């Protein structure tokens, strides 16, 4: 346990002094007491229980003082608190391989159902955006708190060819930071970037971006779901580095077959294989986690887990108020027992 004001812990040295003072008062009281012919008569009259009781209120008072000393030092502890996560972007794979039925009723339908259940679990104050990616990436729904609009966007997914996981991640980042000028062109050679030389010079003169610690941006997160390998577009690890430099966590979810499966789509036959290594690397680079979902039930559990992870988080926070409350309770108990047993306070 850490303390904001550890110097106040020196007050604990006063506790032994209080103990010595209590023992001195007991001894003084014994000397002033009326002497009986036989002390055994007094002991028999008081009983063992009565003798023990007389020390309980002072002991509780001493514990209360020790607790107050800790409270004065302003202790810190890591506790679970509501997250300040305000925006979550779902980047969902809508490539042709998502029609595979190894996840019932098929991968896409299972992903849609799980995503809609995920929306129900989130607090209404959290904004959610939706990005769909296949051979390219598009924003299906800008971040909003309107759950009906989000459900409509998720239900409107159309399967397409190709898997550009990197593009989906870049589009999700662009959705989170609309004024940052993030785009696919950022990953192209300068000679191939769009715009006139004057426009490109203008980009170069913009204030340089300063990377932050990966995972440090707690106001937003990205959840990327895919079932295949990248076949086109931006390298997903390059896109992950862009997310890491902005402190955004990217939670990755892999669905379908790890070993690979041949699937037909629009007259084409394709071999799809889940690229777990890349998905794990994306999650690790951004200080997030990777989840594998082999069935529809697994996928639902993954989203339930993500919902709980994104709505609460571990934080180091001051808990001096809890110690102060505990000290007050101990003092009240001490005074109450003393009044009940001896008709006096201590």
């Amino acid at each position: 346990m850490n303390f904001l004001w550890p110097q106040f812990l020196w007050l604990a040295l006063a506790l032994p002094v209080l103990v010595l003072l209590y023992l001195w008062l007991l001894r003084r009281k014994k000397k002033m007491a009326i002497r009986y012919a036989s002390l055994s008569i007094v002991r028999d009259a008081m009983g063992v229980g009565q003798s023990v009781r007389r020390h309980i209120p002072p002991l509780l008072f001493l514990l209360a003082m020790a607790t107050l000393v800790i409270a004065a030092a302003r202790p810190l502890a890591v506790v679970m608190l509501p997250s300040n996560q305000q925006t979550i972007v779902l980047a969902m794979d809508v490539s042709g391989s998502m029609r595979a039925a190894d996840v019932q009723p098929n991968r896409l339908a299972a992903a849609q159902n799980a995503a809609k259940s995920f929306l129900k679990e989130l607090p209404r104050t959290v904004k959610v955006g939706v990005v769909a990616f296949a051979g390219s990436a598009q924003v299906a729904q800008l971040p909003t708190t309107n759950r009906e609009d989000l459900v409509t966007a998720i239900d409107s997914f159309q399967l397409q060819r190709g898997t550009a996981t990197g593009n989906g991640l870049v589009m999700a980042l662009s959705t989170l930071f609309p004024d940052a000028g993030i785009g696919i062109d950022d990953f192209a050679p300068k000679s191939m970037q769009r715009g006139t030389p004057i426009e490109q010079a203008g980009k170069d003169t913009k204030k340089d971006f300063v990377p932050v610690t990966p995972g440090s941006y707690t106001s937003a997160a990205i959840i990327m779901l895919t079932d295949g390998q990248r076949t086109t577009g931006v390298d997903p690890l390059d896109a992950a580095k862009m997310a890491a430099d902005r402190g955004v966590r990217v939670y990755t979810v892999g669905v379908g077959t790890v070993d690979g499966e041949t699937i037909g789509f629009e007259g084409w036959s394709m071999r799809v294989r889940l690229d777990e290594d890349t998905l794990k690397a994306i999650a690790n680079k951004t200080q997030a986690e990777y989840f594998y979902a082999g069935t529809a039930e697994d996928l639902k559990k993954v989203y339930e887990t993500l919902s709980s992870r994104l709505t609460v988080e571990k934080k180091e926070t001051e808990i001096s108020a809890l110690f102060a409350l505990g000290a007050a309770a101990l003092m009240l108990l001490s005074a109450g027992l003393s009044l009940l047993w001896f008709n006096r306070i201590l």
Side-chain angles (χ1 to χ4, degrees), residues 60-338:
L60 291 174
F61 179 79
L62 185 66
L63 289 175
M65 295 303 295
T67 306
L68 276 178
V69 169
I70 297 176
R74 299 182 64 184
L76 299 172
V78 177
V79 297
M80 299 299 293
L81 294 173
S83 172
N84 60 351
Q85 206 89 252
Q86 297 297 321
T87 307
I88 297 172
V89 175
L90 300 176
M92 302 185 67
D93 190 343
V94 293
S95 60
S97 58
M98 290 291 286
R99 70 182 302 174
D102 54 344
V103 178
Q104 295 296 323
N106 60 54
R107 296 178 184 176
L108 180 62
Q112 289 172 314
N113 292 335
K116 287 184 283 189
S117 297
F118 172 73
L119 294 177
K120 293 179 182 179
E121 297 295 327
L122 288 176
R124 297 289 296 190
T125 55
V126 176
K127 290 183 178 181
V128 180
V130 181
V131 169
F133 66 90
S136 60
Q138 302 84 31
V139 177
Q141 175 60 57
L142 290 170
T144 179
T145 57
N146 190 316
R147 300 302 189 243
E148 290 73 22
D149 289 349
L150 290 165
V151 170
T152 300
I154 292 171
D155 285 337
S156 65
F157 287 162
Q158 297 293 323
L159 296 177
Q160 304 169 33
R161 294 180 184 175
T163 304
T165 50
N167 292 36
L169 189 48
V170 172
M171 187 61 67
L173 284 171
S174 177
T175 303
L176 288 176
F177 305 102
D179 299 326
I182 299 173
I184 305 301
D185 285 351
D186 294 340
F187 299 88
K190 219 169 208 184
S191 59
M192 298 178 62
Q193 292 183 3
R194 296 177 183 176
T196 65
I198 295 178
E199 290 172 338
Q200 290 184 13
K203 292 179 181 178
D204 293 338
T205 57
K206 288 192 304 183
K207 184 178 179 181
D208 292 338
F209 169 75
V210 179
V212 298
T213 305
S216 61
Y217 187 72
T218 58
S219 295
I222 296 171
I223 301 174
M224 186 173 73
L225 180 145
T226 182
D227 71 338
Q229 293 175 304
R230 165 212 176 202
T231 60
T232 185
V234 174
D235 187 329
L237 294 182
D238 290 340
K241 184 180 184 306
M242 178 180 280
D245 288 345
R246 284 163 174 77
V248 178
R249 284 186 168 92
V250 181
Y251 295 87
T252 53
V253 182
V255 295
T257 307
V258 176
D259 297 329
E261 184 173 323
T262 302
I263 298 174
F265 177 64
E266 293 184 349
W268 291 71
S269 180
M270 65 186 81
R271 178 78 175 177
V272 293
R273 176 182 173 275
L274 180 60
D275 188 359
E276 280 197 311
D277 292 338
T278 298
L279 294 179
K280 290 177 181 178
I282 292 171
N284 290 335
K285 191 179 288 288
T286 61
Q287 299 297 303
E289 294 179 73
Y290 165 73
F291 300 89
Y292 172 69
T295 66
E297 188 61 30
D298 289 342
L299 186 56
K300 185 178 179 181
K301 290 180 180 178
V302 165
Y303 271 101
E304 289 175 352
T305 301
L306 285 169
S307 175
S308 62
R309 297 277 176 87
L310 295 172
T311 53
V312 295
E313 60 183 337
K314 291 182 178 179
K315 288 184 180 179
E316 188 176 50
T317 187
E318 185 179 346
I319 56 172
S320 55
L322 295 178
F323 280 91
L325 181 62
L330 288 171
M331 285 185 175
L332 287 174
L333 181 60
S334 172
L337 291 177
S338 185

